[in-house]
């Protein structure tokens, strides 16, 4: 059979390109090396190097905002620049951080560590315990999700001899006490789920081989994962355990100081946050309790002790509306902060519980338009005095980092990011396209105020996993697209979380095709409004957005001039068999069930490619160290398109994980390669806009 005929919908695993799923296979790596050379020869060169260096210099600027978290009395930061490409873990005080040029104390130099140990180390995270100088560091090889765990002393700034050490695996830990870790790791025989995450929560005591660590709870291999978190906000230290059934459903257990385990009588599809004797939760489905029915996306609050004693007298803390949805919730010093999008405008409300009920207030002094993110300054809730940080920005205004002391004081600007591109004569406008079924699809357009009908447009979107896409300030697009005369468009597709669960559900499972229809509708609306024409529209999407971009290729090729598909998910028949793929069944469906394959096959672009179609040029890029979305997706799609005679380019750097590079220069190079490809293929020379 010809490549045109394989794999087919009736025989989806009859695949001549399966060998490309061998990540380190010799034949596969030969393919990658050959493709990389061709792509860099075509779109590299001096212009590429110039733009890469311009962008890397922006990422390396000394006046970029150093984002911090407070642990004890110190603010901690991971800083990357040209001299420290892997990063410096450093610390300072809040008083020092307020200064224009703070003095920093280096705790660990990741570049020196990597060089000394001959490893491709990147910093993966820190687990600390209040009142202790000990930490467990997560070290990632090349940016992979799997990490090596090693105990570190922050006072001596050195790794602990004979301290806790765990070889590479997915998962993490928390400190139960100075000599006991709460381990949620896939390391060890039988310890991984089919998704590759932790199947057990273990108590790992100092000096004990990890194989002998006590398993306090385990889940079945078909569940996504299980993990535990230590909570010391109450009178006694306790442990919350989350048995993640699938991406959106989980059972919650509470382990008290005596080791007793209680499964909470709660629905599985909730977001729950607890503090002291209180907890709050957002529902994913309608729920009836205590003789009352609560609607989807409602937030409820109650005393934990009263709930465990049988009370179901919940307070309603938030009620949704069709275009008003909760984006997150967290506690700080006994106050619950709710993050809300109301017609895509940021809102923040504070709910404070007491014996007499819940009081309500609004987080004051923050902008009512643009992008506003708020989070606690303190890493450990038990150490919080209520201080909050806020990040404020929009597509033309760089971020400002604000401090809200004790969550009530007027915001104080701590740091202001530099303007990295010229925004003169640029405007931000909001629009709506009408999708195939009549739904209104919002999008944000940034570019010149005057329409030419021929604008070089860069489009992006995500549309999955209930994640809301926000119009952030983007230095790379600003410098290399907007400043040079282009227009950028960001769409809010169904499948995202912008308007709550109903918006997400409409774009998942069989509805995922609607998410793609939404994106195509925005492209058509740009032409209808006289902004541009199809051959001048370039589109990029990554990860879940890889499904989106490849469906634009095979379903809506006439609406785009060029496509850039990054770290993508594409083959929907085999995705559950590759790395973490099984964990996404709740978003897409199970291809091993015939009734679910019936819808999955409609947006598995790998199976729907046909010869002789007017497909636009496409560049598909991934990274070899991506251990979340298998690089085989990108490799196979590029190879199949090329075998059919289409213009398909491929690029795969060795490191980067589920991202664009392990350092600022690699990240810049990845992005610039895509921009140069898109610009050339839509026939745009910089500045002609």
């Amino acid at each position: 059979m010809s490549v045109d005929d394989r794999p087919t919908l009736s025989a989806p695993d009859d695949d001549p390109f399966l060998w490309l799923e061998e990540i380190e296979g010799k034949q596969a790596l030969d393919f990658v090396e050959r493709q990389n050379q061709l792509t860099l020869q075509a779109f590299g060169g001096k212009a590429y190097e110039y733009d890469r260096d311009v962008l890397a210099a922006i990422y390396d600027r000394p006046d970029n905002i150093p984002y911090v978290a407070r642990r004890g009395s110190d603010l901690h930061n991971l800083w990357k620049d040209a001299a420290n490409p892997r990063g410096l873990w450093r610390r300072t005080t809040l008083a020092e951080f307020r200064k224009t040029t703070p003095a920093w104390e280096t705790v660990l130099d990741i570049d020196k560590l990597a060089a000394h140990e001959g490893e491709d180390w990147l910093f993966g995270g820190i687990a600390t315990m209040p009142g202790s100088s000990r930490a467990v560091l997560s070290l990632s090889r090349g940016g992979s999700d799997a990490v090596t765990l090693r105990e570190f002393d922050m006072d001596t700034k050195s790794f602990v001899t004979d301290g806790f050490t765990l070889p590479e695996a997915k998962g993490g830990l928390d400190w139960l006490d100075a000599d006991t870790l709460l381990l949620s790791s896939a390391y060890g025989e039988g310890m991984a789920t089919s998704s590759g995450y932790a199947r057990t929560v273990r108590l790992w005591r100092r000096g004990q081989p990890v194989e002998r660590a006590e398993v306090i709870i385990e889940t079945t291999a078909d569940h996504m994962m299980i993990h535990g978190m230590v909570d010391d906000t109450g009178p006694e230290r306790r442990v919350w355990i989350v048995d993640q059934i699938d991406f959106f459903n989980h059972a919650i257990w509470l382990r008290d100081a005596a080791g007793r385990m209680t499964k909470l009588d709660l629905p599985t599809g909730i977001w729950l946050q607890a503090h002291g004797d209180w907890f709050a939760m957002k529902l994913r489905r309608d729920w009836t309790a205590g003789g009352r029915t609560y609607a989807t996306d409602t937030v409820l609050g109650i005393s934990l002790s009263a709930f465990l004693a049988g009370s179901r007298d919940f307070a309603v803390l938030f009620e949704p509306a069709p275009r008003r949805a909760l984006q997150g919730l967290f506690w700080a010093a006994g106050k619950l902060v709710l993050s809300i999008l109301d017609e895509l405008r940021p809102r923040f409300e504070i709910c404070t519980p007491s014996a007499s009920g819940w009081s309500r207030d609004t987080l004051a002094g923050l902008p009512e338009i643009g992008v506003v993110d708020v989070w606690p300054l303190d890493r450990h809730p038990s150490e919080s005095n209520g201080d909050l940080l806020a990040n404020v920005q929009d597509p033309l205004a760089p971020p400002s980092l604000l401090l809200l002391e004790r969550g009530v004081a007027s915001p104080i600007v701590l740091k202001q990011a530099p303007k990295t591109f010229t925004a003169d004569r640029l405007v931000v406008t909001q629009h709506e396209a009408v999708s195939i079924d009549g739904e209104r699809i919002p999008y944000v357009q940034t570019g010149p105020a005057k329409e030419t009908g021929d604008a070089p447009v860069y489009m992006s979107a995500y549309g999955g996993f209930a994640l809301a896409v926000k119009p952030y300030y983007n230095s790379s697009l600003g410098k290399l697209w907007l400043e040079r005369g282009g227009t950028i468009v960001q769409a809010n597709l169904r499948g995202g979380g912008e308007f709550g669960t109903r918006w997400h559900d409409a774009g998942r499972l069989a509805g995922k095709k609607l998410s793609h229809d939404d994106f195509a509708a925005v492209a058509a609306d740009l032409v209808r409004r006289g902004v541009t024409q199809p051959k001048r529209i370039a589109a990029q999407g990554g990860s879940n957005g890889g499904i989106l971009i490849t469906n634009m290729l095979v379903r809506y090729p006439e609406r785009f001039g060029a496509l850039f598909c990054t770290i993508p998910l594409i083959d929907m028949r085999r995705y559950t068999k590759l790395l973490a793929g099984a964990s996404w069944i709740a978003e897409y469906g199970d291809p091993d069930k015939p009734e679910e394959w019936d819808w999955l096959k409609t947006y598995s672009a790998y199976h729907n490619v046909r010869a002789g179609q007017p497909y636009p040029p496409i560049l598909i890029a991934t990274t070899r160290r991506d251990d979340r979305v298998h690089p085989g997706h990108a490799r196979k799609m590029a190879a199949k398109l090329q075998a059919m005679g289409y213009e398909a380019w491929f690029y795969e750097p060795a490191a980067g994980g589920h991202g664009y590079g392990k350092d600022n220069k690699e990240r810049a190079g990845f992005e610039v390669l895509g921009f140069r490809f898109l610009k050339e293929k839509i026939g745009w020379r910089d500045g002609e806009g």
Side-chain angles (χ1 to χ4, degrees), residues 395-425:
L396 299 179
S400 296
L401 181 65
L402 312 180
L403 173 66
L404 290 79
E405 293 183 291
R406 302 188 183 277
V408 294
S410 297
I412 300 168
V413 177
L414 287 175
K415 301 293 175 187
Q416 173 70 58
K419 293 182 178 180
T420 55
F421 62 90
T422 301
D424 297 346
R425 297 183 297 279

Side-chain angles (χ1 to χ4, degrees), residues 7 18 50 81 90 94 96 161 188-189 202 312 317 323 329 389 478 498 527 529 574 637 667:
L18 278 179
Y50 175 82
D81 57 23
R90 58 188 192 169
L94 180 56
E96 189 69 25
T161 304
E189 186 176 353
R202 292 173 272 181
R312 296 299 181 265
L317 307 180
R323 293 171 82 86
L329 67 166
L389 293 176
E498 290 86 347
V527 176
R529 289 179 43 238
R574 288 183 54 76
M637 188 66 175
R667 173 186 164 199

Side-chain angles (χ1 to χ4, degrees), residues 574-606:
R574 288 183 54 76
Y575 86 92
T576 57
K577 299 176 173 63
L578 301 174
L579 297 175
S583 66
W584 311 319
I585 287 175
E587 178 73 13
Y588 305 118
D590 187 346
D592 291 333
K593 295 179 179 178
E595 68 277 13
E596 298 187 13
W597 173 240
D598 280 346
W599 74 61
L600 277 161
K601 68 186 180 184
T602 66
Y603 57 83
S604 183
Y606 188 62

